[in-house]
Amino acid sequence: MTTSTDHDEPAREQQGPPAGRPLALITGVGRTAGIGAGIARRLAASGWNIAFTYWAPYDDRMSWGREPGASEVIRQALVEQGASTIAIEADLADPDTAARIFDEVEQRMGGVTALVMCHCESVDSGLLDTTVESFDRHFAVNARATWLLIREFGRRFAAERGTGRIISLTSDHTVGNLPYGASKGALDRITLAAAHELAHLGVTANAINPGPVDTGWMTEEVREHCIRNSPLGRLGTPRDTAHLVDFLCSREGEWINGQLLTSNGGLA
């Protein structure tokens, strides 16, 4: 894991978080068009400080490629919302990474109140053509890293009872996408277990299935299919997911707990 070390960081970040702003740790914030970035911007506007992680080598393997300077663009947008923020490049396939992330975030920004997990490994393959290496990497990133991040959060959580939040993004797509869908199913179970096993901390835990959101990965055929099957006649956006996360992280969202929430506009 490596960490951004910008020498021209605003004074706000160097001085620590403004009084009264809780801290959210958001994983998988690698591209400006991504769901993670949308959630980070929404929470920053709602009064949260933001620590976020990204892993550029993953984007290098994807069709969309790396977005140069994305972490700095996102960081500056959060600062403009009044948030104190840090960006951490982190390989979540490494089982030691979760603890290192929390160590750095606590050292630089303080304790985490909300853990929002948007990271993923997602490479299309089916029952017959998935490799063992790909299967293992999907479970390492999507399932094991989720467990390890939640475990660190539970071990370290020290905020006011009732304020803690755990939210993960999931998917129910498995056909032709076996390792992704199967590992996301495991992520669901891990997340929902936290609602009960961390009850003594007053922490809520929910998983969100946002459905297909076009963040640059869709082909025109996929776009047309999703729009055609949506009652609202449009695709989901990062903003749609961000509004739900924002509510779940609020005081008003406390009663929603231990749920797998589908937020896809009614897609058939």
Side-chain angles (χ1 to χ4, degrees):
M1 179 181 72
T2 59
T3 305
S4 62
T5 54
D6 303 312
H7 298 292
D8 58 348
E9 292 174 342
R12 177 185 300 280
E13 182 173 348
Q14 299 297 327
Q15 294 172 353
R21 293 183 72 111
L23 173 61
L25 168 59
I26 308 175
T27 62
V29 187
R31 297 185 300 129
T32 55
I35 296 176
I39 291 171
R41 290 190 292 266
R42 180 64 256 165
L43 289 182
S46 292
W48 290 78
N49 291 324
I50 307 293
F52 68 90
T53 75
Y54 65 99
W55 183 236
Y58 171 72
D59 293 316
D60 290 339
R61 293 191 283 113
M62 299 297 104
S63 60
W64 52 78
R66 184 184 300 223
E67 182 182 353
S71 62
E72 177 59 19
V73 171
I74 294 167
R75 196 178 67 82
Q76 288 293 344
L78 303 181
V79 170
E80 290 172 6
Q81 296 280 12
S84 177
T85 181
I86 58 171
I88 302 172
E89 185 165 21
D91 179 9
L92 288 169
D94 181 346
D96 295 326
T97 295
R100 290 201 297 264
I101 291 171
F102 273 86
D103 285 344
E104 178 163 356
V105 171
E106 288 179 346
Q107 180 181 13
R108 297 178 65 182
M109 299 188 73
V112 174
T113 299
L115 171 63
V116 183
M117 292 169 286
C118 307
H119 65 274
C120 79
E121 171 74 15
S122 179
V123 178
D124 292 349
S125 60
L127 284 165
L128 301 181
D129 60 339
T130 294
T131 66
V132 171
E133 186 274 335
S134 178
F135 187 89
D136 288 347
R137 188 189 319 118
H138 278 81
F139 271 82
V141 174
N142 297 342
R144 186 179 68 191
T146 297
W147 159 53
L148 293 172
L149 287 162
I150 290 175
R151 186 175 72 171
E152 289 301 319
F153 180 81
R155 286 175 170 176
R156 301 170 188 240
F157 182 77
E160 179 186 350
R161 180 178 177 83
T163 62
R165 301 288 186 267
I166 296 171
I167 299 168
S168 63
L169 298 191
T170 189
S171 173
D172 58 5
H173 191 258
T174 53
V175 178
N177 212 0
L178 171 72
Y180 175 72
S183 57
K184 284 288 190 174
L187 172 150
D188 295 351
R189 302 303 98 187
I190 294 166
T191 303
L192 300 185
H196 297 273
E197 295 196 21
L198 301 183
H200 62 289
L201 300 175
V203 169
T204 67
N206 295 285
I208 297 173
N209 182 350
V213 176
D214 187 9
T215 58
W217 61 270
M218 287 186 177
T219 64
E220 192 57 37
E221 181 181 4
V222 170
R223 287 175 55 86
E224 291 177 0
H225 172 80
C226 293
I227 292 172
R228 186 168 61 250
N229 287 278
S230 171
L232 298 179
R234 69 171 178 85
L235 296 169
T237 69
R239 181 176 296 181
D240 294 322
T241 307
H243 283 307
L244 178 54
V245 171
D246 188 28
F247 174 72
L248 293 175
C249 286
S250 71
R251 286 284 190 177
E252 291 79 7
E254 179 184 11
W255 193 238
I256 300 176
N257 188 26
Q259 303 300 310
L260 173 53
L261 304 168
T262 300
S263 175
N264 65 6
L267 182 72

